[in-house]
Structure formats: C-alpha cells, structure tokens
Amino acid sequence: MTRPDARPEASHFIDGEYVEDGTGAPIPVIYPATGETIATVHAATPDVIERALASAARAQGAWAATDPTERGRVLRRAADMIRARNRELSVLETMDTGKPLQETLVADATSGADALEYFGGLAADLTGTTMQFGGDWAYTIRRPLGVCVGIGAWNYPTQIACWKGAPALATGNAMVFKPSETTPLCALKVAEILHEAGLPAGLFNVVQGAGEVGAALTGDARVAKVSLTGSVPTGRRVYAAAAARMKQVTMELGGKSPLIVFADADLDDAVSGAINANFYSSGQVCSNGTRVFVHADVEAGFLARLTERLKDARIGDPLDEATNFGPMTTEAQMEIVLRHLDTARSEGARVAAGGHRIDREGFWIAPTVLTDLTDAMTCVREEIFGPVMSVLTFTDEEEAIARANATEFGLSAGLFTRDLARAHRVVAQLRAGTCWINQYNLTPPGMPFGGSRQSGIGRENARVAMDHFTEVQTVYVGMGPVEAAF
Ligand code: NDP
C-alpha cells in the first residue's frame, strides 16, 4: 500500500501559522508499523515557547469577550471540517501512532469532531447562579482561566488535542498544546483546521518537544491551568510544578482497571467487551480493563470463546482497512511490554495466547492472554499499556469487589451481568471514576471521563469540563444602606 507523505508543513503552529525553528533538537517521527523515519520535527526552543505563550496571552482577552455563540460556531465549523477530512486525518493518525486505519477512521478525528461539536453547542450556556440574602443578593459569573496548557500522551494525539482544546476554547481560554514527542503530527492539523474554521490567531498553539518543553510551559507564570494526559509519575511531577504557582490542573493518568464477568453474563458480549478493553489500539488505552475477573463457573467457556475470537485478529499493514490489530506506538513501549511478559512468566503466569513479539519489521506484540494468576503478580498490579489481558477468577460478589478495588489506581471499571440490580449495586462500590455496565471503553463527549485516586484529578468531557476550564467569580450586591460600627 502506498504510504502518504506525512511530513508537516513545519514543526510548530503559533499565532495562526506554521512556524519552524531548525535550531531546536530534531525529533524523528517513526512509523511504528515499520520503524522507518517518516518525518522530522524540531523541539521548541525557548524562543518558540515564548512566542507561543505570548501570542496566547495576547489573544485570550478578546476571545473571552467574544459572544460565546460565535465561539461555539467556530468550534462547530471546525468539527464539520474535521469530519469532511476524516480519511486524510485518520491516515495521519495511523502514521503517527501505528493504529489500524480501520480503527482511526471511526475513533480519532471523529471523536475530536464530536468534542468540538459538543462544546461548540455548550459555549453559549456558560451560566452562573443567583442567591438571595434578604434584600441583598449575590450572583456568580463563570470566568475563563486565561492561558491553559495541554500536554498529551501518544495513544490518541488527535482526540487528546480536541478533548482539551474544545472545552478550553468554548469557555474563552487560549491553549498552548504540547503533543507527545513520539506523535507530533496530528495536533498540528487540529490547530490548522481550528484556524481555518475562523479561530483567531494565537488561541490554539502547538509546540513540539519532550518533557522539558512541557515543564517550561507548566512553570510559566502566564499559565493558569495545566491539563495533562499521561502516566502517574509524570502526573505527580506536573501537579507538583503547577502547585508551586497555585495553578489549576486536570490529570488524566494511568490505570489498571477491573472488568468483572459474572456467571450470568452474556458471554459473547463479555468476550467482546474484554477484547475492546485489552486489544483495541493494541492495548494502549488508559482506561483498559486489564484485570478481567471471570466467575469460576464460566471461566472455561469465556477462555474458549476468547481464544477462538483471537483467531480473527488481522495483523498487517495498518493502512489496509482489513487490518484490525496494529503495532505498539514506540519501540520503547514494545520493550516495556516484553519485559512485563518475561516477568509474568518468571512469576508463574501461563500464557494462554500470544506472549511474544511478532516477527516482522516495526514494533509488534501479539495479542496476549495470561492465566493462572494471583493478584500479587506484577502483571496484575502494574499498568502494562500493551495488548496483555490478565484473566483471574472469583466466586462471589464481595470477593470480586474487594479484589477489583485492591489497586492504587481508580480510572475505570466494567462489569457484565444480566442482573441489573447486581450491576448497580456493584458499580456503587467500585472505586473508579468511569464505569461501564455491559459495555466497555465507550466515551461519548457528553459523558464525564476521568479517574479517582492515583488515576487523576478532574474530569474531561461533558458539562463538568466547562467547570474545570473556568472559575467562579462571586458578586455580592448590596441593596440597602451600609451599617458600620462607628
Ligand atoms: P508520559 O507520562 O510519559 O508523558 C505524557 C506527556 O507529558 C508527554 O507529552 C510527555 O512528553 C510530557 N511530559 C513528560 N515529563 C513532563 C514534565 N516534567 N512536565 C511536563 N510534561 C512532561 O505518558 P505517555 O506519553 O507515555 O502515555 C502513556 C501514559 O498515559 C499511560 O500511563 C496511560 O495510562 C496514560 N494515559 C492516560 C489517559 C487518561 O485519559 N487517563 C489517556 C491516555 C494515556 P514526552 O513524552 O514527549 O517526553
């Protein structure tokens, strides 16, 4: 299949235009399916970072003062443009991440467009409240925070840029976005399209670079908020840096989420849920349900159906729409997953499927199912961020809940049962920010998404994201004479 030219017009997008500064450290863009370098961008220099922050600060005031209906209209126009260009953007997402085109055509640019459309529609609905105190009263105004920084992980570069940019812009903020250095291409297109849709210059800037560029942005006094999607260790660092200047944060971090399959579940649906929760995007999804607790009575049937279904995994050129399973996005992540598989074997896990690197160029790991596990094993405790499903068994509800909660993470959880009373009873006891009953990993923009405990702070999407990109200003209105002691 001919591979399109993925080279961007320039490394950064600042103040409404592409910007290059070749003195920044070169960052190779590697196509994960083959390991070839398909483009090179340059890390932002201090000068580039300054230009991005200065233009955002300059543009934000007028944008905040713009009629919110007009702000929303710009976002909705961008959503339409993204949908019209879905194939081109999906191909770029595939080149950036290695995810199969079959997947990116329906899950990435489209999800970004959904968020822009959703927040575009909500922009004019940023309301406050009024309170009566006898004759006096008070009201609240929701004000934008100012310049916000978005920092993305490498698994969903288009979606993350839109999920952060859409609510920030809808509420009158400016954003400087730093993609992961390993997937720098897609956010540039988001910026380009937003500006083509009529977003004034400076309001959505993209700068490239690794952690130090993110740290420079986070530490800048002009920045009011940082929204990070990344790992827990990076989250701790960014949260601490933001705290030094009392900045607001949204932290979308990692997880080791449970997926409980009760004995009465529709087993075919449960297997489909477990496949989506472990092998979509080759397992590189933060909310994945990687600890699959299956009731002992149905374990054999579950594993038999799962193994059968794995035969339909089509490994091949990600640009071929018949391919439904892609490579790891980076060589480093592939090595991490392979190390996890070694550890799992040495700790006594049985490899029921996969468990190895696939013999082809690029960074491929076979869809893997581990069994004969205990909750203490490393593969059951730590986030692997790869196509590795751990299947555990349980016998009663309380046991399943206790074991599901026995983790420091709290991003997501899921369960499959036909007993809806049980479903709601169990979900109410699961310590996770986002739960699914008889589904997994669906994240429409109208639904809050995010984690509790070590998995994060704040929520993305839905109305609640509007709160996270604004602050409440309270106004007390005195209606009578002012009394004083003297
Ligand atoms: P990392 O935590 O390594 O990086 C996340 C982003 O933070 C990258 O852009 C990175 O830059 C940047 N960064 C690193 N150090 C700093 C710093 N000190 N200050 C500011 N920015 C910094 O995560 P990955 O990219 O490896 O993504 C995988 C992780 O993301 C997984 O743990 C996964 O669970 C989590 N994730 C969470 C999601 C959620 O919504 N909860 C969704 C998707 C992923 P660079 O990498 O370029 O050096």
Side-chain angles (χ1 to χ4, degrees), residues 151-152 154-155 178 181 211 214 229-231 234 252-254 286 383 385:
I151 301 176
W154 37 257
N155 54 349
K178 187 201 86 65
E181 68 179 307
T229 296
S231 62
T234 301
E252 295 293 350
L253 308 177
C286 52
E383 182 179 47
F385 221 59

Side-chain angles (χ1 to χ4, degrees), residues 151-155 160 178-182 209-212 214-215 218 228-232 234-235 237-238 252-255 285-286 333 383 385 411 449 455 460:
I151 301 176
W154 37 257
N155 54 349
I160 293 172
K178 187 201 86 65
S180 165
E181 68 179 307
T182 54
E212 61 270 17
T218 304
L228 169 82
T229 296
S231 62
V232 173
T234 301
R237 276 196 295 278
V238 175
E252 295 293 350
L253 308 177
V285 182
C286 52
Q333 189 61 29
E383 182 179 47
F385 221 59
L411 186 53
F449 176 79
S455 293
E460 296 204 292

